[in-house]
């Protein structure tokens, strides 16, 4: 095609492309109409989506009222006799109204550890190695200072904060504080010796088994047992070296895997060893981990820190005792010799009649003023004057010296190298200082010199990590945090201060403010929805487009359905004081909006919250006293239903045969089938029926506490002196006169369950000084207020603090071999509640008396068995079994299931889930009727539910139809556009052909004109 001829009008002079555009514009009118329809449909779809969101908000607000969750919310208040309560309390969903008495025994504390003191916080420590804090590696370089090391620990995110603290002038130490409270505290693992004495000083150089089991110890948990342990720990230099397990030395290397290390240990122990190493699985926080298990011993030595890195042992944190001392003292009379306690002060340069003065401070800072002593030979042995030993005795005097009552004690002594040494008897920070001044009035040369600090006293554990401890209605509770949420459902306790022995009253009661707010939210949600619909229905001003859903009958109908629910009226017999919203101060105005008289609403919620709940939720009433509404399900249809009882529920009952005077003593065993508990009644010989019945009722009504005992142990081989709390465990005897199989160094594993089934586990390291009282205290510490542990006539006795069914148990084994040196525990008294069974005297028509037993609970799940041990005087022959029966009947003529006295409508019927109790004692085909009603909020849910739903609700169906319509419009537009595109191409083709034809004609005319002009010129010539 000639490109020139395709240019509009170049030959014809006609702008035909403009003409084509005009034609296309005219012929595109249907597309414009369809786009207008699409825009309107999209506006309508958007409007319906907005309406759905408002219905959803209304539905959500209604649900909180219909299910009672909003109206049943509770708040917690605290009452305390003191000025400031030691706790605060709050209630949330799931709380139950009630009154609780709480005593805050102890606050949870975050562990704080202190290291060795150094002269400068900025001088290089010269240490090299690595350690773990809560499992996070911390590297130590020789150039590190206390300050840089603290920064590195803080940056590691190990769950601790590190700081450098100045203890005294010129002394600094690193302090670690756990970021969380709780007895778990800070986990320190020394992988290279940098935490021990002579280094950072957080550990004391001793180790003890970390996770004791009944016959050995467990290591820490690792992700797998095939990767080198050092890599799992993140250590750069794998610890290796000699360790001792059960007295056997061996070399271990953490560059090997956990499985390899277990094999290495077993190889070193040798075949046939009673000590074994293995890798076992454990579950921690839902994840399976691998642990190294050592069985057969709890004896470990770990100079190379290998076992510590494996978690089998942990470093000790004993406090450091302050120690002060003189220089080396030598005699000045005769040849110089090193002083001893027998050395006379005269031999050290003093003259008889001279004095020395002793002053100072004890560890707690109290003044030590022993005064002035005269050096006299009358006080000396063999005439050599006052000795250093006499001076030591004066310092150790229990009245005025370092051991004075009421003060921390210290001990003075003369060391082997001739120094006077004074050491605190306990570790920790100390202000111990002593000055001994020789006055030398007569020209003597005695000079004991200053007592300088040899060892700075300090506590490695500045603050021990501790769990919070509290009593709630007498139950002992321990938690790692001071915010406790899992003791009373829905109630949070924030512990603020320890206040042992002081009771805090916590009241959990209905939250009126929350209930009023929920009702207001419900009403406001409806008003918002109704106002929006009203705006859609309002005619627009002249010249203004109508709202997208203007005049929509479906929208109007939907609002009418919701409004009908809002205007629901309950029958007075169902609702009580409030039958409609207006009774709560919620009135509808002429515009269809609801207004709220908040004062009236608040008064109603306060005065009768149950009636308010019935107005919004589910409720039911019955026509007879024998029937009672219990509850209903989501599928229960409101209405009135006749209840027919074909069989009333019964209680288990048994009447014995004729009673005759008990000739000999007898035993009656009654087992409650509902609880499985046994009640054994001993009947005395000669008892009459009234006495027997009284004895039975006394036993059936007696609740007991679970009591566990261990066999008695004795202080002597003859088993004549029962052990008491002071009796040593080592050297005690069993009842058979055999020595108790315990020795110094043994470990007792103490395990069991509390009365509620919670497991506990601890251990007791047995020493020659360990007593039965120490064991009792260890058990008591685990059980807290749940049970009382006593020593009674040589027996350990554990008694549950409460009566009733109990899971209390106890096991004490020797860790080395899982044996039970103290014997197995037995249940001396089974915990049980009082039975719901009573005995009475039944006299038959013939005047014969019988014993009658009756269960107070109805139904086939309740009953009892009774068996008489001897004879037949009581009237029970063989094993007598009695059970109750369940109620049977229908609700509204529809099937129902009976459980005890409770009748529940069957699934798939109009009464599905409707529960009614029948307390009548006989069948009754016309037992009465039950009227079940759904309140305003429940009705609102039923009205709104069909409108909502992802893809299944009425609103979604409408928006889907609109979407389908838009899709159809777009298809038609595509079809029209395709036809228009073809039409444009055809017009362009035709006009182009026209241009080409005109162009050819014009070219021919120009040629002809040229020929004619040429002929004319030739003719003139």
């Amino acid at each position: 095609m000639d490109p020139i001829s395709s240019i509009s009008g170049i030959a014809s002079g006609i702008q035909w492309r403009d003409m084509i555009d005009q034609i296309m514009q005219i012929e595109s009118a249907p597309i414009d109409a369809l786009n207008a329809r699409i825009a309107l449909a999209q506006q309508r779809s958007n409007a319906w989506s907005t309406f759905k969101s408002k219905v959803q908000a209304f539905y959500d607000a209604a649900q909180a009222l219909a299910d009672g969750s909003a109206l049943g919310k509770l708040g917690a208040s605290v009452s305390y006799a003191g000025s400031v309560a030691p706790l605060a309390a709050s209630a949330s969903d799931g709380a139950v109204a009630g009154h609780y008495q709480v005593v805050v025994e102890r606050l949870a504390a975050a562990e704080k550890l202190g290291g060795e003191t150094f002269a400068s916080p900025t001088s290089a420590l010269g240490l090299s190695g690595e350690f773990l804090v809560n499992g996070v590696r911390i590297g130590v370089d020789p150039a590190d200072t206390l300050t840089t090391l603290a920064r590195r620990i803080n940056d590691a995110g190990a769950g601790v904060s590190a700081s450098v603290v100045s203890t005294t002038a010129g002394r600094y130490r690193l302090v670690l504080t756990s970021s969380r409270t709780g007895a778990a505290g800070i986990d320190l693992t020394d992988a290279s010796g940098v935490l021990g004495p002579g280094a950072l000083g957080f550990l004391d150089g001793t180790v003890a088994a970390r996770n004791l089991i009944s016959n050995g110890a467990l290591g820490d948990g690792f992700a797998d047992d095939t990767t080198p342990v050092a890599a799992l720990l993140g250590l750069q230099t794998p610890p290796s070296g000699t360790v001792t397990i059960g007295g056997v030395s061996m070399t271990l290397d953490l560059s090997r895997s956990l499985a390899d290390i277990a094999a290495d240990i077993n190889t070193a122990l040798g075949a046939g060893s009673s000590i074994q190493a293995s890798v076992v699985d454990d579950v921690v926080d839902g994840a399976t981990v691998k642990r190294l298990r050592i069985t057969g011993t709890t004896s470990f030595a770990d100079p190379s820190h290998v076992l510590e890195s494996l978690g089998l042992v942990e470093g000790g944190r004993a406090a450091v005792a302050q120690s002060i001392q003189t220089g080396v003292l030598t005699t000045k009379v005769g040849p110089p010799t090193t002083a001893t306690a027998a050395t006379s002060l005269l031999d050290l340069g003093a003259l008889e009649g001279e004095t020395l003065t002793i002053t100072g401070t004890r560890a707690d800072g109290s003044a030590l003023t022993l005064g002035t002593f005269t050096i006299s030979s009358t006080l000396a042995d063999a005439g050599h004057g006052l000795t250093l030993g006499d001076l030591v005795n004066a310092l150790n005097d229990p009245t005025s010296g370092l051991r004075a009552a009421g003060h921390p004690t210290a001990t003075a002594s003369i060391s082997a190298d001739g120094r006077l040494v004074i050491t605190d008897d306990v570790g920790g920070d100390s202000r111990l200082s002593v000055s001994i001044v020789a006055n030398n009035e007569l020209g003597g040369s005695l000079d004991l010199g200053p007592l300088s600090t040899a060892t700075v006293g300090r506590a490695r554990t500045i603050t021990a990590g501790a769990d919070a401890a509290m009593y709630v209605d007498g139950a002992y509770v321990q938690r790692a945090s001071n915010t406790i949420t899992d003791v009373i459902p829905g109630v949070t306790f924030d512990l603020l201060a320890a206040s042992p022995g002081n009771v805090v009253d916590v009241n959990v009661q209905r939250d009126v403010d929350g209930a009023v707010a929920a009702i207001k939210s419900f009403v406001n949600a409806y008003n918002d929805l109704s106002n929006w619909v009203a705006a859609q229905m309002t005619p627009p001003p002249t010249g203004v487009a109508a709202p997208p859903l203007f005049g929509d009958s479906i929208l109007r109908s939907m609002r009418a359905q919701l409004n009908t629910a809002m205007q629901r009226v309950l029958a007075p017999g169902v609702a009580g004081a409030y039958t409609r919203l207006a009774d709560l101060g919620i009135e509808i105005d002429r515009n269809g909006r609801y207004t709220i008289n908040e004062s009236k609403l608040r008064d109603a919620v306060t005065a009768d919250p149950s009636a308010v709940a019935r107005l919004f939720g589910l409720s039911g009433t019955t026509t007879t006293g024998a029937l009672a509404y219990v509850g209903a399900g989501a599928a229960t249809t409101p209405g009135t239903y006749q209840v027919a009882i074909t069989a009333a529920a019964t209680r288990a009952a048994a009447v014995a045969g004729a009673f005759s005077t008990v000739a000999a003593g007898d035993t009656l065993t009654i087992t409650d089938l509902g609880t499985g508990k046994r009640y054994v009644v001993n009947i005395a010989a000669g008892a009459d029926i009234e006495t027997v019945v009284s004895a039975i009722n006394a036993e059936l009504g007696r609740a007991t506490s679970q009591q566990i005992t261990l066999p008695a142990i004795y202080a002597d081989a003859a088993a004549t002196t029962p052990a008491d709390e002071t009796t040593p465990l080592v050297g005690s005897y069993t009842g058979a006169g055999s020595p108790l199989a315990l020795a110094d160094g043994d470990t007792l594993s103490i395990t069991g369950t509390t009365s509620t089934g919670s497991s506990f586990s601890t251990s007791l390291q047995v020493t020659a000084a360990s007593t039965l009282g120490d064991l009792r205290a260890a058990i008591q510490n685990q059980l807290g207020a749940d049970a009382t542990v006593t020593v009674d006539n040589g027996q350990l006795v554990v008694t549950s603090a409460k009566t009733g069914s109990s899971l209390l148990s106890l096991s004490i084994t020797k860790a080395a071999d899982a044996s039970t040196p103290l014997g197995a525990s037995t249940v001396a008294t089974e915990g049980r509640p009082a039975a719901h069974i009573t005995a009475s005297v039944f006299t038959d028509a013939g005047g014969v008396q019988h014993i009658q037993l009756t269960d107070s609970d109805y139904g086939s799940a309740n009953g009892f068995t009774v068996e008489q041990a001897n004879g037949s005087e009581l009237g029970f022959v063989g094993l007598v079994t009695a059970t109750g029966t369940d109620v049977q009947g229908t609700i509204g003529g529809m099937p129902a299931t009976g459980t005890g006295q409770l009748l529940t409508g069957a699934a798939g019927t109009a009464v599905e889930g409707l529960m009614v109790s029948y307390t009548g004692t006989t069948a009754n085909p016309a037992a009465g009727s039950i009227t079940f009603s759904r309140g305003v909020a429940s009705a609102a849910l039923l009205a709104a539910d069909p409108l909502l739903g992802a893809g299944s609700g009425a609103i979604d169906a409408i928006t889907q139809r609109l979407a389908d319509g838009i899709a159809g419009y777009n298809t038609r537009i595509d079809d029209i556009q395709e036809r228009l595109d073809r039409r444009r191409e055809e017009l362009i083709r035709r006009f182009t052909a026209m241009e080409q034809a005109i162009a050819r004609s014009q070219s021919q005319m120009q040629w002809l004109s040229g020929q004619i002009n040429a002929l004319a010129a030739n003719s003139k010539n």
Side-chain angles (χ1 to χ4, degrees):
M1 181 176 61
D2 184 354
I4 297 298
S5 63
S6 66
I7 298 175
S8 176
I10 192 68
S12 65
I14 301 171
Q15 296 299 317
W16 49 268
R17 286 197 178 272
D18 292 341
M19 293 173 60
I20 291 175
D21 289 342
Q22 292 174 8
I23 293 170
M24 291 299 99
Q25 184 175 0
I26 293 171
E27 294 187 1
S28 295
I31 291 179
D32 295 338
L34 290 172
N35 280 328
R37 292 184 182 181
I38 289 173
L40 178 59
Q42 191 61 60
Q43 291 174 6
R44 291 174 61 81
S45 179
N46 293 340
W48 279 112
S49 295
T50 300
F51 178 62
K52 181 182 179 181
S53 67
K54 294 183 180 298
V55 175
Q56 185 66 58
F58 177 62
Y59 182 93
D60 294 341
Q63 193 167 46
L65 297 177
D67 63 16
S69 61
L71 298 175
K73 286 184 176 179
L74 302 177
S77 61
V78 171
S79 299
Y80 183 61
S83 57
V84 180
L87 65 85
S90 60
S92 60
D93 292 344
V96 177
H99 171 256
Y100 308 95
Q101 291 189 317
V102 181
V103 176
V104 182
E105 286 289 306
R106 181 180 66 238
L107 292 184
E111 186 165 52
K112 180 176 290 189
L113 305 178
E116 184 62 84
T117 61
F118 294 87
S120 169
T122 56
S123 296
L125 297 172
L127 301 174
S128 179
E130 54 191 338
F131 61 94
L132 302 176
V133 179
N134 293 335
V136 178
R137 177 190 179 273
I138 306 295
V140 183
D141 299 322
D144 283 338
T145 67
L146 288 180
T147 302
T148 58
L149 194 54
R151 185 181 306 116
R152 183 172 302 135
I153 294 172
N154 289 330
D155 293 343
V160 301
S161 61
S163 58
V164 178
V165 176
S166 175
T167 57
T168 58
R171 304 301 299 177
Y172 303 86
R173 67 173 169 174
L174 188 61
V175 174
L176 304 180
T177 305
S178 176
S179 301
R180 293 179 294 184
T181 57
I186 301 172
D187 182 9
L188 290 180
T189 300
D190 194 353
S192 56
V194 294
L195 294 180
L200 292 175
F202 284 100
L203 304 178
D204 61 15
T206 66
V207 295
R210 177 172 180 148
N211 303 303
L212 285 172
I213 55 177
S214 60
N215 61 340
L218 282 175
D220 286 343
F222 294 90
D224 63 64
D225 60 353
T226 58
T227 304
V229 172
L232 294 174
L233 292 171
L235 297 175
Q236 295 182 358
T237 303
S240 62
T242 301
V243 303
T244 302
I245 298 177
V248 179
S249 294
M250 61 193 72
T251 299
L252 299 179
D253 187 345
L254 295 195
S255 63
R256 291 169 60 77
S257 70
L258 202 62
D260 292 337
I261 291 170
D264 293 342
I265 294 173
N266 288 329
T267 298
L269 291 169
S273 173
S274 62
I275 305 172
Q276 290 292 313
S278 60
V279 176
V280 296
D281 289 341
D282 194 9
V283 177
V284 178
D285 296 331
T288 300
V289 297
K290 304 287 185 179
R291 295 183 185 274
L292 180 64
R293 181 174 66 178
I294 305 295
T295 57
T297 185
T298 57
S299 174
F300 304 99
D302 187 34
S304 58
H305 306 285
V306 173
L307 301 182
E308 185 175 353
S309 298
L310 289 168
L312 282 168
V313 300
E314 60 184 351
R317 302 177 185 179
V320 179
Q322 180 99 340
S323 177
I324 59 177
Q325 64 184 20
T326 65
V328 176
L329 303 177
T330 57
T331 61
K332 297 179 180 179
V333 176
T337 59
T338 301
T340 67
T343 300
S344 166
L345 298 183
L346 298 176
D347 291 340
L348 293 175
L351 297 178
E352 185 171 349
E354 292 182 334
T355 62
L356 55 82
T357 304
I358 304 175
T359 59
T361 57
R362 299 182 181 88
D364 61 355
S366 60
L368 174 68
T369 308
L370 290 176
T372 300
F373 292 82
T374 300
I375 301 170
S376 171
S377 61
T378 60
L379 299 176
D381 294 329
H384 291 291
L386 192 69
T387 66
L388 284 175
D390 295 327
L391 181 60
V392 166
N393 291 337
L395 288 167
N396 290 334
D397 184 88
T399 301
S400 58
L402 294 168
R403 297 186 171 220
H407 299 284
T409 62
T411 300
S413 63
I414 303 299
S415 68
D417 63 351
R419 300 175 188 268
L420 173 61
V421 180
I422 302 175
T423 304
D424 276 344
D425 291 337
V426 296
D429 293 341
S430 173
R431 288 191 279 172
L432 178 67
S433 67
V434 175
S435 172
I436 304 176
V437 178
N439 296 310
N440 293 327
E441 299 97 325
L442 303 177
S445 61
L446 177 65
D447 182 7
L448 298 179
L451 276 81
S452 60
T453 301
T455 303
V456 177
R458 62 184 178 88
R460 286 186 167 92
T461 302
I462 300 171
T463 302
D467 291 339
M470 63 191 295
Y471 288 95
V472 180
D473 286 347
Y476 187 69
V477 175
Q478 282 185 286
R479 296 294 185 271
S481 171
N482 288 316
T483 298
I484 300 175
T485 61
D486 59 350
V487 175
I488 300 173
V491 177
T492 296
F493 294 109
D494 290 306
L495 308 190
L496 306 175
S499 186
N502 295 317
V503 175
V504 180
D505 289 308
V506 177
N507 289 296
V508 181
Q509 53 199 359
R510 192 172 303 278
D511 182 5
V512 174
D513 290 339
V516 170
I519 296 171
K520 289 173 65 178
S521 177
F522 170 68
V523 173
N524 291 337
Y526 176 80
N527 282 340
D528 181 53
L529 178 155
S530 182
N531 291 340
W532 186 87
V533 174
Q536 292 293 311
M537 297 301 170
T538 302
T542 303
V544 177
L549 301 183
F550 177 69
D552 193 298
S553 61
I554 296 177
L555 178 64
R556 185 181 291 111
S557 174
M558 289 181 176
R559 180 179 63 171
Q561 294 174 37
L562 300 175
N563 186 48
T564 299
M566 293 291 290
Q567 297 185 43
R568 194 172 188 84
V569 179
L570 301 187
V574 173
Y578 312 121
T579 62
R580 66 189 72 205
L581 290 180
D583 295 334
L584 303 181
I586 303 171
E587 302 276 2
I588 189 170
D589 62 19
R590 63 179 184 178
N591 296 316
R593 289 185 294 269
Y594 285 88
T595 60
I596 301 174
N597 182 330
E598 186 168 338
S599 176
K600 186 175 181 179
L601 173 61
R602 184 175 295 276
D603 289 344
V605 172
T606 303
D608 196 345
S610 297
V612 174
R614 288 195 297 271
L615 176 60
F616 286 102
L618 307 178
S619 59
T621 58
T622 58
T623 57
T624 64
L627 293 176
Y629 167 74
V630 177
T636 308
T637 302
T640 298
Y641 303 98
Q642 296 297 318
V643 178
I645 301 298
T646 56
T650 63
R651 298 177 293 184
V655 178
F659 179 87
S660 60
T661 301
V662 182
D666 208 340
T667 301
L668 205 61
T669 301
I670 302 170
T671 302
D672 187 336
L673 297 178
T675 63
K677 300 299 182 181
R678 294 195 321 150
Y679 301 79
V680 180
V681 187
N682 294 314
I683 310 298
D688 59 19
I689 191 169
E690 296 292 348
T691 301
V692 172
V693 166
S694 177
I696 293 172
N697 284 331
E699 179 63 18
L700 291 173
R702 185 171 65 90
T704 59
S705 298
Q706 184 102 335
Q707 189 174 80
I708 297 172
T709 61
L710 272 75
I713 63 174
Y714 297 86
D716 60 330
T720 59
T721 305
D724 59 22
E725 291 219 0
T726 65
T727 302
L729 291 172
V730 177
S732 295
Y733 296 85
T734 67
S738 301
L740 205 63
L742 282 176
D744 188 353
D746 283 340
T747 299
L748 288 177
S749 294
I750 305 167
T751 59
T753 53
T754 66
S755 59
T756 58
S758 298
S759 298
F760 64 84
S761 177
T762 189
S763 63
L764 177 68
Q765 299 289 335
V766 177
T767 68
S770 297
T771 65
L772 186 58
D774 294 330
L775 179 58
R776 181 206 62 77
I779 301 170
Q780 184 69 74
N781 184 58
Q782 292 297 307
L783 290 169
D786 184 72
T788 301
V789 188
T790 58
V791 176
D792 184 12
N793 201 31
Q795 286 186 295
L796 272 173
V797 180
V798 184
T799 306
S800 178
K802 294 184 177 180
T803 60
S805 298
S806 175
L807 296 174
L808 185 67
S809 67
L810 176 66
S811 175
I812 302 175
T813 59
K814 191 157 63 173
D817 55 14
S819 62
T820 55
L822 280 79
S825 64
T826 58
V827 177
T829 303
E830 183 182 22
R832 71 180 192 201
H836 294 168
I837 305 167
T838 56
S840 60
V841 177
F842 171 73
T843 304
D844 63 22
V848 177
Q849 291 185 314
H850 308 257
I851 298 174
Q852 176 172 290
L853 296 177
T854 306
D855 195 322
S856 62
D857 292 332
Y858 287 84
S860 59
N862 298 296
F864 54 85
T865 64
V866 57
E867 188 171 15
Q868 183 176 340
N870 305 310
S872 59
E873 293 94 340
L874 300 179
F876 294 100
V877 179
L879 179 65
V880 177
T881 301
T883 58
T885 60
D886 299 316
V887 65
Q888 298 179 39
T890 59
I891 303 176
M894 290 168 275
T897 301
T899 304
Q901 293 181 308
L902 185 65
L903 200 61
T904 304
T909 67
V911 295
E912 178 180 347
L914 182 61
M915 292 180 286
V916 58
S917 69
Y918 176 68
T919 57
T921 58
T922 60
N924 189 346
S929 64
I930 179 170
T931 299
F932 167 69
S933 178
R934 292 187 183 274
V936 174
S938 183
L941 292 180
L942 290 179
D945 190 67
L947 308 183
L948 302 170
S952 60
I955 297 175
D956 277 358
I958 294 173
T959 55
Q960 185 59 51
R961 286 197 298 271
L962 289 170
D964 292 343
I966 291 173
Y969 293 149
N970 282 322
T971 299
R972 291 176 60 186
I973 289 173
D974 290 342
D975 292 342
I976 294 172
Q977 187 61 55
E978 183 180 356
R979 180 174 57 79
L980 289 176
D981 290 343
R982 292 196 301 270
R983 171 72 167 151
R984 176 183 289 276
E985 291 176 0
E986 177 61 21
L987 289 174
I988 290 174
R989 186 184 64 76
R990 291 186 178 186
F991 276 108
T992 299
M994 178 191 72
E995 288 286 347
Q996 291 173 343
I998 292 174
R1000 287 195 297 270
S1001 297
Q1002 289 175 342
S1003 177
Q1004 291 174 354
M1005 289 176 63
Q1006 290 173 355
W1007 181 80
L1008 289 173
S1009 177
Q1011 291 298 317
I1012 292 171
N1013 290 334
L1015 290 173
N1018 290 334
S1019 63
K1020 290 180 180 181
N1021 296 329

